[in-house]
Amino acid sequence: MKLVGERRALAAAVYALFTFLWLGNALQAPEPFIPLFYALLGVYGLAFFGIVAGYFWARWYAIGVGLFGIILAAALIYQLGALEPIA
């Protein structure tokens, strides 16, 4: 049994959640951080759009965005230590 449709739906839901989180951050951010949050909104929005539309490149793009998040989290844990809210 293949779960291709279910995995795509789950990935699309996760990327939609992060798209709306970055939108909320962009709307409430201090002035210097607004372009950063809009750029990340575009990155996650493009991943969501690519997965939902079924483009052939969307799988690799979404994997890259996910790996970026993992690397960023690892760097934060290395620099700040294992904080209780993060762990």
Side-chain angles (χ1 to χ4, degrees), residues 66-83 86:
L67 288 175
F68 166 73
I70 290 171
I71 292 169
L72 184 64
L76 283 173
I77 290 172
Y78 175 73
Q79 290 181 353
L80 300 176
L83 301 174
I86 296 174

Side-chain angles (χ1 to χ4, degrees), residues 2-15:
K2 292 189 177 185
L3 299 174
V4 174
E6 289 83 359
R7 289 188 313 192
R8 262 182 70 193
L10 182 62
V14 168
Y15 281 112

Side-chain angles (χ1 to χ4, degrees), residues 48-79:
F48 169 74
F49 178 75
I51 289 173
V52 170
Y55 291 135
F56 73 94
W57 51 264
R59 178 179 178 182
W60 297 291
Y61 183 79
I63 289 171
V65 172
L67 288 175
F68 166 73
I70 290 171
I71 292 169
L72 184 64
L76 283 173
I77 290 172
Y78 175 73
Q79 290 181 353

